[in-house]
Amino acid sequence: MLRVETIETIKSTVPVLEVHGKEITKRFYQMMFTHHPELLNVFNHANQKQGRQQTALANAVYAAAANIDKLEAILPVVKQIAHKHRSLGVKAEHYPIVGQYLLAAIKDVLGDAATDDILQAWAEAYGVIADVFMGIEAEMYENAERQEGGWPSFRAFRVERKVKESEVITSFYLVPDDGKAIAAFEPGQYVSVKIEIPGESHTHIRQYSLSGAPGRPYYRISVKREDAIEGRPAGKVSVYLHEQIEEGEILWLSAPAGEFTLDRTDTRPVVLISGGVGLTPMISMLDTLVETDPKRQVTFIHAARNGNVHAMKAHVEEIAAQHPQVSVSWCYEQPTELDKAEGAFQKEGFIDLPWLQTVIPTRDAGFYFCGPVPFMKALNRALKDWGIMASDIHYEFFGPAGDLEQPSETGEAEVSRQR
């Protein structure tokens, strides 16, 4: 337990963290990677360059400071981060390193304002918070290894099939190279894929949602090829997977992880909404629902740029044709002439609340969504404007967690932009 004086000191730093938090976390990563470059084998380099990791850490530090006297309030966030840590291979021995350079970054950025009392308070607070993380993650590692078909770190999987789903999305069917059983998972969870790219100094790890229902002898991931666009560099891992990984080759996977899962105890209708490659966890949820709960009403809504990049459309429409409790609706931002001629979509442009109200039969449902951050921000606002309770809204970030309540830098209207 923290001393009262420590709690008061940490609380006093909250306004400072609100202003300087991202600057502190940026400096933290610079210092840590300079002295421990081996940790670049764990962290996502693209998220570092784009500033997403720094922002996510700044938000987490701010939340911890603001709730230092009631850390149970941030336990859901802690568990979400712990899932990522376990899937990446973050271990207890990494926490002292993080603590050392986080304190050094606070001192470096704040200068004389970071008094000895403040640094001591943060050292004590970090020790308590780190103990919480390490305890939860130790249990997660143990559960990952002990479950039937489980394993603790990374395991070799062979690409059994490689299937092109659209112009930009390809699915990889992965079976364990040792021929043994694989761990079960909950629809919505992901695996980490560890890649060594020739010519690269460090390994790369990416998380990909499992895009099929549990209970198969394989895992399926469906990967969008991230080409360079609008000043953004191409995705090294996604391009490598699309161009270099063929059937028969080996990928190294973590055991399934993640807090974004379908609530199978809820018997109410389900609304699944996705944008771009955000449909992957939704496909897993849809497949699971029609197999295990065929009477439950499902509304499946997907936004894509057009039919050329719309993956798994035929699969979803076939499910809807066979299961009358499933309804589907498509929104195309820039439909092709063929899309228009075939009537391949129900709405042109962006998803908005008036249209959602015409295709979703009831507000008394569980709402799940995933996609680009601007898409999710706009959708989150629309659902709240409609009066959907926060407890019924569930979403997943691809990459470091963000804040859907903050205005989007790229515009709230971009609700169907592909990730």
Side-chain angles (χ1 to χ4, degrees):
M1 296 294 292
L2 291 171
R3 294 178 296 117
V4 173
E5 295 85 353
T6 299
I7 291 173
E8 291 176 350
T9 300
I10 295 296
K11 283 278 191 179
S12 73
T13 66
V14 169
V16 178
L17 292 175
E18 190 171 16
V19 176
H20 298 286
K22 190 171 179 180
E23 185 181 358
I24 290 170
T25 55
K26 181 179 180 181
R27 184 63 178 135
F28 155 73
Y29 282 116
Q30 290 172 342
M31 298 172 76
M32 184 175 70
F33 290 147
T34 297
H35 293 89
H36 291 274
E38 73 278 4
L39 293 180
L40 286 166
N41 292 310
V42 176
F43 287 85
N44 185 313
H45 306 175
N47 288 333
Q48 289 288 325
K49 290 179 181 179
Q50 295 167 16
R52 294 186 66 191
Q53 191 71 57
Q54 293 91 329
T55 300
L57 178 58
N59 290 341
V61 172
Y62 176 82
N67 294 278
I68 196 65
D69 53 343
K70 49 182 188 301
L71 288 176
E72 65 276 4
I74 64 170
L75 194 57
V77 176
V78 170
K79 287 184 177 179
Q80 182 185 56
I81 296 172
H83 271 282
K84 284 285 179 74
H85 284 179
R86 199 275 295 162
S87 76
L88 291 169
V90 173
K91 298 295 178 63
E93 56 263 30
H94 294 141
Y95 278 92
I97 298 173
V98 171
Q100 176 185 351
Y101 292 102
L102 183 59
L103 292 174
I106 292 173
K107 178 63 176 176
D108 190 65
V109 171
L110 300 184
D112 292 341
T115 64
D116 290 343
D117 287 343
I118 287 176
L119 293 176
Q120 179 60 35
W122 266 105
E124 291 181 28
Y126 177 81
V128 170
I129 296 169
D131 284 344
V132 173
F133 271 101
M134 288 188 287
I136 292 174
E137 289 164 16
E139 184 177 353
M140 287 182 175
Y141 275 108
E142 185 176 353
N143 290 340
E145 182 175 12
R146 288 192 174 185
Q147 66 177 313
E148 183 178 357
W151 66 98
S153 55
F154 287 89
R155 181 178 174 189
F157 279 71
R158 178 170 42 83
V159 179
E160 186 177 58
R161 281 197 293 154
K162 181 180 179 181
V163 178
K164 187 171 183 177
E165 306 285 5
S166 76
E167 287 185 356
V168 295
I169 295 176
T170 293
S171 288
F172 297 82
Y173 291 74
L174 308 170
V175 297
D177 194 47
D178 59 16
K180 297 180 180 179
I182 56 176
F185 65 91
E186 288 298 313
Q189 289 192 304
Y190 57 83
V191 292
S192 286
V193 179
K194 182 166 66 172
I195 299 282
E196 291 190 6
I197 300 176
E200 293 286 323
S201 302
H202 302 283
T203 59
H204 295 266
I205 303 177
R206 297 291 186 273
Q207 285 88 33
Y208 294 106
S209 296
L210 292 160
S211 60
R216 309 292 195 266
Y218 57 82
Y219 294 142
R220 183 177 73 181
I221 59 173
S222 301
V223 180
K224 180 191 173 189
R225 177 186 173 121
E226 298 286 356
D227 291 312
I229 185 172
E230 299 173 358
R232 184 191 67 194
K236 289 183 179 181
V237 174
S238 68
V239 170
Y240 185 79
L241 287 170
H242 275 248
E243 293 187 351
Q244 304 298 328
I245 297 299
E246 302 296 343
E247 293 178 356
E249 297 197 53
I250 296 296
L251 294 176
W252 291 86
L253 270 63
S254 71
E259 285 279 280
F260 177 66
T261 58
L262 177 67
D263 182 0
R264 302 207 220 182
T265 66
D266 189 352
T267 59
R268 297 176 304 158
V270 181
V271 181
L272 307 175
I273 311 176
S274 53
V277 76
L279 93 166
T280 51
M282 303 305 159
I283 293 290
S284 179
M285 292 182 183
L286 175 65
D287 288 354
T288 301
L289 284 164
V290 297
E291 289 181 10
T292 64
D293 198 358
K295 294 183 179 180
R296 195 168 172 188
Q297 187 179 54
V298 182
T299 302
F300 192 99
I301 301 168
H302 181 62
R305 191 165 65 248
N306 53 48
N308 294 336
V309 296
H310 185 174
M312 303 180 185
K313 180 181 181 181
H315 171 73
V316 175
E317 291 183 339
E318 182 180 354
I319 287 177
Q322 295 175 355
H323 300 271
Q325 81 279 13
V326 177
S327 65
V328 299
S329 298
W330 313 126
C331 176
Y332 285 178
E333 178 188 349
Q334 300 171 355
T336 65
E337 291 304 315
L338 181 60
D339 292 333
K340 296 176 182 179
E342 294 182 345
F345 57 97
Q346 285 70 48
K347 186 181 191 311
E348 182 174 354
F350 300 107
I351 291 177
D352 55 32
L353 180 54
W355 181 66
L356 287 175
Q357 291 170 327
T358 68
V359 297
I360 298 174
T362 177
R363 292 189 306 170
D364 186 20
F367 290 79
Y368 299 79
F369 58 88
C370 185
V373 173
F375 168 90
M376 295 204 297
K377 286 185 175 182
L379 191 54
N380 183 60
R381 176 173 295 178
L383 294 178
K384 289 189 173 182
D385 288 347
W386 197 13
I388 306 302
M389 295 177 58
S391 58
D392 287 334
I393 297 176
H394 314 277
Y395 53 87
E396 171 84 319
F397 281 96
F398 283 159
D403 185 355
L404 294 189
E405 302 300 328
Q406 294 295 322
S408 172
E409 295 179 2
T410 54
E412 293 286 2
E414 297 185 16
V415 283
S416 68
R417 186 78 61 191
Q418 281 240 14
R419 179 178 176 274

